[in-house]
Amino acid sequence: MPSAERVQWAKIRSVVVAASALSVLGVLVYLLSGGTWLKAKTFLSTYLPDSTGVTLDTPVLLNGVHIGKVDALRLTRSKDPNRVIEVRLKVEEEFLRHIPEDSLTGLGSETMLGDKYIDITMGRSPRTVRPGGELRYRPPSNFVKSIDLEQFETQLRAIDQVITDIQDGKGSLGEFVRGDQLYHSVLDGVTHIDKSLRAAVSTNTRLGQFLYSAEGYQELQAPVRQLDDRLAQFEASPYLRSTSQYDQIRDQIEQVRRTLADLNAGKGAGGQLLASDAAYVDWNKRVAALVESVDALNYGEGGMGHLLVSSQVYESLHGMLQSLETTVKEFRQDPQKFLRLKIF
């Protein structure tokens, strides 16, 4: 018969094993619940026009992030078509600070016929929703309302049949995809191009003789050699190897710059002429005197002006020139008239 100490020790071990098993079980339950089993929960409400596809434990998502589930569904008997079903949402309390009070709820599904979920779209209000608050429902678009699943399935079956016919080579499109007519057509075109190229470069043609003969090679090599010689001459030019011409041009430009700088600074005779007021006044007086002299000539003042303006002087000169012209003509016609020799 075992002693009392051994019995006591066996009881302690049994208690430790049971406690360990319960701890492992609790950890497993916590992990299977997504780590939210011990987190604080709160409730929100929203209203739907129809609860089709929505059941207890339907997931609740906030912009795609799982934050809770549907806790209860209740008929409201409201006349508003969008407030027929009251849905109570059980969400984690820590997410309330991420849900503005103008956020909207809607129904979503992973696929066309998949399970539904409540999707909360975050709003822009600076104030967040409070525990027990209400989120407004966002009605679906007209496109979703007008979808006929039976008609949509019929169209999918028709599309699937068209794809099957193409894969089986049926119809004109199927023959184009699966048949070998297009392949042979392309192959014939490539063969024709290959024959044309071979005929063009044949030694019997002018192009072939040009490519394969030494004359064609020499004709191509001659301009290349000429270009190479010109490049060699250009490289051997003293203008590229010596910097004397460049230095001379640079010195001349620098001298012109210094001359212009001296003129701007009033240095030298030209600079004084440009910068000095006395020189400007002197030249202005000379120009004014010249203008007055020209005006005096135009008005006939003085001997030269009288000579330029008087018509009598012009007529006298004109008469003298006519008389001289007559005398020259008579001399040319009868020189003996003017060359008389008297012999004693």
Side-chain angles (χ1 to χ4, degrees):
M1 183 174 180
S3 62
E5 294 180 355
R6 297 184 63 181
V7 172
Q8 187 68 22
W9 177 247
K11 292 181 179 179
I12 294 174
R13 285 189 297 176
S14 300
V15 172
V16 171
V17 171
S20 300
L22 291 175
S23 299
V24 172
L25 180 62
V27 171
L28 290 177
V29 172
Y30 177 77
L31 294 177
L32 292 176
S33 65
T36 62
W37 186 42
L38 300 178
K39 292 184 179 181
K41 305 294 191 301
T42 188
F43 295 95
L44 299 174
S45 62
T46 187
Y47 293 87
L48 303 178
D50 189 0
S51 63
T52 302
V54 180
T55 60
L56 298 180
D57 297 333
T58 295
V60 177
L61 306 181
L62 175 62
N63 283 55
V65 179
H66 187 277
I67 63 171
K69 61 182 180 179
V70 174
D71 183 69
L73 297 172
R74 186 180 68 85
L75 288 171
T76 62
R77 299 181 182 180
S78 175
K79 302 298 182 180
D80 188 349
N82 291 326
R83 298 177 66 87
V84 177
I85 304 296
E86 181 184 2
V87 182
R88 190 172 69 168
L89 310 177
K90 185 179 181 181
V91 299
E92 298 177 17
E93 189 174 0
E94 64 177 345
F95 286 102
L96 289 182
R97 57 190 179 91
H98 299 292
I99 305 177
E101 64 179 4
D102 60 344
S103 300
L104 301 176
T105 61
L107 289 178
S109 60
E110 296 180 357
T111 60
M112 182 65 67
L113 301 177
D115 295 334
K116 300 289 184 178
Y117 60 86
I118 303 296
D119 186 24
I120 301 176
T121 303
M122 295 174 60
R124 298 183 179 181
S125 176
R127 294 181 297 180
T128 58
V129 67
R130 295 184 178 182
E134 177 185 346
L135 297 177
R136 190 163 56 90
Y137 172 71
R138 178 183 59 194
S141 61
N142 295 329
F143 174 75
V144 177
K145 292 181 179 179
S146 61
I147 288 180
D148 188 349
L149 295 181
E150 294 182 358
Q151 183 180 3
F152 186 70
E153 183 181 2
T154 303
Q155 294 177 355
L156 289 179
R157 291 184 182 276
I159 294 173
D160 181 69
Q161 185 62 38
V162 172
I163 295 175
T164 303
D165 293 341
I166 293 175
Q167 291 178 348
D168 295 339
K170 298 180 181 179
S172 57
L173 183 60
E175 293 178 357
F176 176 78
V177 175
R178 301 287 294 178
D180 56 354
Q181 182 178 0
L182 178 62
Y183 168 74
H184 290 299
S185 177
V186 174
L187 184 62
D188 294 339
V190 173
T191 304
H192 178 71
I193 293 174
D194 181 67
K195 291 181 180 180
S196 300
L197 290 176
R198 291 180 179 272
V201 300
S202 176
T203 56
N204 298 326
T205 61
R206 184 176 180 181
L207 178 60
Q209 294 176 358
F210 178 79
L211 292 176
Y212 293 108
S213 64
E215 296 179 357
Y217 172 74
Q218 292 177 359
E219 291 181 4
L220 291 175
Q221 191 179 23
V224 175
R225 287 183 176 179
Q226 185 178 5
L227 178 60
D228 184 69
D229 295 339
R230 291 184 178 179
L231 290 175
Q233 293 175 2
F234 184 72
E235 289 180 353
S237 175
Y239 293 102
L240 294 178
R241 297 183 179 273
S242 177
T243 60
S244 59
Q245 297 289 336
Y246 169 75
D247 294 336
Q248 184 178 359
I249 295 173
R250 187 180 62 179
D251 294 339
Q252 292 177 356
I253 294 174
E254 186 64 27
Q255 185 177 0
V256 172
R257 289 180 177 176
R258 287 197 299 268
T259 303
L260 293 176
D262 292 340
L263 290 176
N264 291 329
K267 298 179 180 180
Q272 293 179 0
L273 180 62
L274 293 176
S276 177
D277 293 337
Y280 170 75
V281 173
D282 185 26
W283 276 98
N284 195 11
K285 289 181 179 179
R286 293 182 181 182
V287 172
L290 180 60
V291 171
E292 290 178 357
S293 300
V294 174
D295 292 338
L297 290 175
N298 290 331
Y299 290 120
E301 298 178 359
M304 184 60 69
H306 181 71
L307 180 62
L308 293 175
V309 176
S310 177
S311 60
Q312 184 178 0
V313 176
Y314 169 76
E315 291 175 356
S316 298
L317 292 175
H318 183 66
M320 292 174 62
L321 290 175
Q322 287 182 349
S323 177
L324 180 60
E325 182 181 3
T326 303
T327 303
V328 171
K329 286 182 179 181
E330 291 178 355
F331 179 78
R332 294 178 64 184
Q333 293 176 0
D334 190 9
Q336 296 179 359
K337 182 178 178 180
F338 297 90
L339 298 176
R340 292 180 181 178
L341 297 177
K342 189 175 183 180
I343 300 174
F344 295 95

